[in-house]
Amino acid sequence: MIRGFFIGRFQPYHLGHHNVIRHIVYEVDELIIAIGSAQESHTLENPFTAGERVLMVSRALDEIDPELKKRVYIIPLEDIYRNSLWVSHVCSMVPPFDIVFSNNPLVIRLFKEAGFKVKTTEMYNRNEYQGTEIRRRMLKGERWEDLVPKSVAEVIKQIGGIERIREIAGKDA
Ligand code: ATP
Ligand code: MG
């Protein structure tokens, strides 16, 4: 039984994440999807709460296959602001896992130092499928809906995500 681990901030969950997960979920028996910086929300860099991001990931998984959630764990993880202890922190919060999937240099380095097997993931259309670019578009009123799974666009609209981003960008004056 092989259990894998993948972490993102998912601000928001987009088609880059979706493509990676669509592949790695079939390389393992079970997959842990960790939601990083879980304590953050209502900022321009981290507009969505951990719970809202759980919902995005959950709905996106259903779009791939409703049976998937029987073998996927979605777990929010708060930051601990101490990289040398971070892997232990992760391990204390999620089920045991055998392999890490990541393309993030720091994540890769920290897990390798801790002796974990790490597999790098492919990048998909990184110019557009990027949280920073999607949040910029949301703020500017540009087209963003086609950069996230349909179900995720619905979640963002339901929670008033676009209005939130525009409102918190305002000045206190
Ligand atoms: P931000 O711009 O806010 O940092 P992001 O798009 O980098 O957002 P993260 O949640 O930070 O999204 O990414 C989590 C993981 O998903 C990272 O390790 C990253 O390598 C991977 N990832 C992000 N975008 C893509 C993409 N377009 N294709 C494949 N993997 C991606
Ligand atoms: Mg990133």
Side-chain angles (χ1 to χ4, degrees):
M1 222 283 297
I2 302 291
R3 193 175 294 117
F5 177 89
F6 180 78
I7 185 163
R9 281 179 19 260
F10 306 119
Q11 293 283 11
Y13 182 102
H14 56 62
L15 286 172
H17 304 128
H18 201 57
N19 277 302
V20 170
I21 286 170
R22 243 174 33 192
H23 285 93
I24 64 177
V25 79
Y26 295 109
E27 289 185 34
V28 292
D29 300 297
E30 294 191 347
L31 181 67
I32 299 159
I33 300 176
I35 298 182
S37 299
Q39 79 284 357
E40 297 282 348
S41 75
H42 295 80
T43 70
L44 287 180
E45 196 148 323
N46 292 286
F48 305 114
T49 67
E52 289 163 349
R53 289 176 276 159
V54 167
L55 202 55
M56 292 178 202
V57 176
S58 173
R59 294 282 194 272
L61 287 172
D62 284 344
E63 253 189 79
I64 300 170
D65 177 359
E67 295 286 298
L68 273 186
K69 285 202 309 233
K70 286 181 183 163
R71 57 186 189 89
V72 176
Y73 305 85
I74 306 170
I75 302 182
L77 275 182
E78 294 185 19
D79 291 325
I80 61 160
Y81 308 102
R82 195 168 290 220
N83 287 336
S84 62
L85 299 180
W86 183 72
V87 171
S88 300
H89 167 63
V90 170
C91 291
S92 76
M93 298 299 291
V94 308
F97 51 94
D98 312 286
I99 180 166
V100 173
F101 297 95
S102 182
N103 215 343
N104 180 287
L106 178 62
V107 171
I108 292 171
R109 176 73 199 184
L110 294 177
F111 276 114
K112 276 191 174 164
E113 281 189 15
F116 277 88
K117 185 176 170 189
V118 179
K119 201 165 167 189
T120 53
T121 51
E122 226 180 291
M123 290 309 265
Y124 300 88
N125 184 14
R126 183 63 172 157
N127 289 336
E128 288 192 302
Y129 298 165
Q130 181 172 20
T132 305
E133 169 63 12
I134 295 168
R135 295 190 301 275
R136 187 194 66 75
R137 292 188 185 194
M138 288 170 161
L139 186 58
K140 298 290 176 208
E142 295 174 23
R143 158 190 71 80
W144 58 271
E145 289 91 335
D146 52 336
L147 306 185
V148 305
K150 203 181 223 171
S151 58
V152 171
E154 275 166 24
V155 170
I156 291 169
K157 284 174 185 166
Q158 272 166 16
I159 63 178
I162 307 307
E163 295 78 3
R164 179 188 300 168
I165 286 176
R166 303 234 173 100
E167 214 160 308
I168 60 182
K171 295 267 183 296
D172 178 6

